[in-house]
Each structure stands twice: as structure tokens, then as C-alpha cells.
Amino acid sequence: MTQPLHLRVLRPEDLPFADSLCAIAGWNQTLGDWRRFLEMEPEGCFLAEWNGSPVGTATTLRYASEVAWIGMVLVHPEQRRRGIGRALLKHCIAWLQARRMLCIKLDATPAGKQVYDGLGFKSEWTLVRWEHAGLQVAKPADARIRPWRASDLHVIAPLDTSAFGVSREKLVEALASQSRFALVLETVRGRVAGYGFMRPGSRATYLGPIVAASDEVGLQLVEALLTNITGERVFWDVPNANTAAVEWARQHGFVQQRMLTRMYLGENTAPGNPRQQFALAGPEVG
């Protein structure tokens, strides 16, 4: 008997379907994000077909041999409860393990966490998506904040690696090119103490990533970026361990939309430091 489920590599012509799944699920990724997934991991993004029709997606991203990521596990509502999402997830795991990735990570919803627990994933820390319908932020006076330059990519690399756990220069470079606003805070000695991006989304403007060496720098960048989008809807993913960012969100009227759990499978030898992460790059990439 022929198996109705078939998994294959996601191709550029599949992206309109993938983007439609995001819309159905109410996720915030854009068609530009899907293109970036394929550009960064052309053989590691997958499509599920049921009886020859597309029904689901999943993406992977390799940062280094220490850490890889799984994201965008989506199944059309009419095709759920058939094991498609689980099959996609296991396919991603097998693909990454075949490439000798030491640790595989993802950000899990409460419902997804039950599935990941059963596959051997362990919890690392929690995060919350904060939302604001139309924030008003006064422009900060700190003259140390300036626009991002292409040369900043290598300057911020040690700080970003310390915060995330491994180098993600390729991703940061791609996100900078996609951003509506990209800023750095440069000290008087010319040292970059933090950076942050504001990116377009299908449902809301997305704040992140923001990485900083101190609470003062991180919150300065948060305020500077939000000043540029006065009155717009904002999504902001923050590790609960970053209490300074969490408190700032509460004080400025952000509301909690959902909680997620960062999980890992394998040897978590490069955990990073969530207290240096004032905004994540997104649950689909970390």
C-alpha cells in the first residue's frame, strides 16, 4: 500500500503555499523570511505532501557544529492529527544528526512541548512574546546610538557569540539587510556595546534581535528602535531571565501574548547568556 505522506526538500515555487500556512496559523513571518530560510539552508527546509498535495513545512538552520535550529513546523489545519508535524520534526532531526550536529534547539509552544518531551528534548529556559498595539516612546538623547554599518558585523561578533552561544554572523547579516531600522550603540572609545534591529512582519513589526553588554545599553537600544515606529503594533520576544527587559515591557504597557520554552536535544555545550539578549531573533531561528 502506498504511503500517502511524502517529505521532500522545500523549493522556491513552494513558498506561496508556505506563506499561506503562516497566514492561517496567524504567525508573523513574511515571504522574505521564507526566502531567507531557503537561501541559508537550501537542502535543509522541507515540505510535507499528503496524497501529492502540500500540507506542511519545516526548516532547519546550522550555526556551527555545536548548534542547529528547527523552526516553521506548520501543518494545514485540515490535515492535522495524521502525524505530519511529528514526521517533519523527526525528518529535521535525522537530517541534522546525519550532519553531526551536537545540539539541536527550538522554541516550543506549550502544546508542542509535549511532543518534544517525548522525543528527548530538554528544557533550557522560558521566554515570552510581548505585544503592544500602538506604543508611544520618546526619542532618547543618547548620541552614542548610530545606524548599523556593514562593517559592524564583525565588530559585534564576540558580543553576539557570548549572548547566543555560537557565531551567527550569516544570520545577523541577513537580518540586518531585511530590517526597517538597524542600530548600534558605540562607546566614546569606538567600542560597540550593543546592536538591535526592527524588522517587518506580516501581522506586526518585530523588535529583535537586540544584544547588549549591559542593561543600560540594551534598554537604550529598545527605546531607540521603538521610537521609529510610534503607533504601530509590535511583537517582542524576551527571555524571562532578562529581568530588565521584562520589567521595561511591563512598565510600558506591553501585554503577554504567549510563553514558549527553549529546548535542546543533544549536548548543550554552548548555552549562551539570555541576560544579554534583550530581544530574540525569532522562535524560528533563536
Side-chain angles (χ1 to χ4, degrees):
M1 183 176 178
T2 304
Q3 168 61 254
L5 178 63
H6 173 64
L7 305 181
R8 64 167 174 82
V9 172
L10 187 73
R11 298 189 287 258
E13 57 267 30
D14 301 316
L15 295 190
F17 166 75
D19 196 44
S20 74
L21 280 188
C22 272
I24 293 170
W27 288 14
N28 197 43
Q29 285 79 16
T30 66
L31 195 57
D33 290 322
W34 281 108
R35 294 191 185 102
R36 171 169 45 78
F37 295 139
L38 282 191
E39 288 169 2
M40 296 192 69
E41 205 68 82
E43 301 301 317
C45 299
F46 305 103
L47 181 82
E49 296 177 324
W50 189 269
N51 289 325
S53 297
V55 294
T57 61
T59 61
T60 67
L61 180 59
R62 290 173 291 171
Y63 288 109
S65 61
E66 293 87 0
V67 177
W69 213 268
I70 295 176
M72 306 308 291
V73 181
L74 283 161
V75 178
H76 195 283
E78 295 178 2
Q79 304 296 334
R80 290 174 184 166
R81 301 187 182 279
R82 289 176 167 170
I84 297 169
R86 188 181 183 90
L88 279 163
L89 179 64
K90 292 177 74 172
H91 189 74
C92 289
I93 293 170
W95 191 84
L96 291 168
Q97 289 180 336
R99 284 148 185 82
R100 302 182 182 277
M101 302 306 300
L102 294 178
C103 186
I104 300 170
K105 294 192 177 188
L106 50 77
D107 287 340
T109 63
K113 185 177 183 300
Q114 299 176 23
V115 176
Y116 306 136
D117 284 337
L119 291 171
F121 280 82
K122 297 178 181 179
S123 299
E124 185 174 10
W125 39 264
T126 58
L127 61 121
V128 167
R129 168 156 292 182
W130 296 86
E131 178 180 351
H132 204 297
L135 187 66
Q136 306 287 330
V137 177
K139 186 176 179 62
D142 198 327
R144 298 176 299 170
I145 295 176
R146 61 163 175 79
W148 170 273
R149 303 168 186 153
S151 58
D152 291 325
L153 180 65
H154 302 301
V155 177
I156 61 94
L159 175 64
D160 193 67
T161 299
S162 172
F164 186 67
V166 293
S167 173
R168 53 176 181 175
E169 283 192 45
K170 189 176 178 182
L171 175 68
V172 172
E173 182 177 33
L175 295 181
S177 68
Q178 285 185 275
S179 295
R180 292 176 58 186
F181 304 99
L183 303 174
V184 300
L185 190 149
E186 188 175 73
T187 66
V188 291
R189 296 182 179 180
R191 173 176 167 268
V192 172
Y195 79 92
F197 300 158
M198 182 74 76
R199 293 151 44 209
S202 60
R203 297 181 60 221
T205 299
Y206 188 79
L207 179 63
I210 300 174
V211 172
S214 69
D215 292 351
E216 177 191 3
V217 171
L219 296 181
Q220 285 273 23
L221 286 164
V222 167
E223 293 173 358
L225 287 161
L226 290 173
T227 297
N228 289 303
I229 57 160
T230 296
E232 295 185 25
R233 189 182 191 194
V234 181
F235 289 168
W236 178 17
D237 293 325
V238 184
N240 285 326
N242 192 322
T243 54
V246 169
E247 186 59 26
W248 195 97
R250 287 199 180 106
Q251 290 179 354
H252 289 79
F254 278 80
V255 296
Q256 293 189 29
Q257 183 191 110
R258 60 176 180 169
M259 188 182 81
L260 301 121
T261 302
R262 178 146 302 179
M263 306 188 75
Y264 66 93
L265 180 69
E267 301 177 45
N268 190 18
T269 58
N273 183 0
R275 286 178 290 277
Q276 289 183 310
Q277 300 179 53
F278 289 77
L280 303 183
E284 71 280 11
V285 292

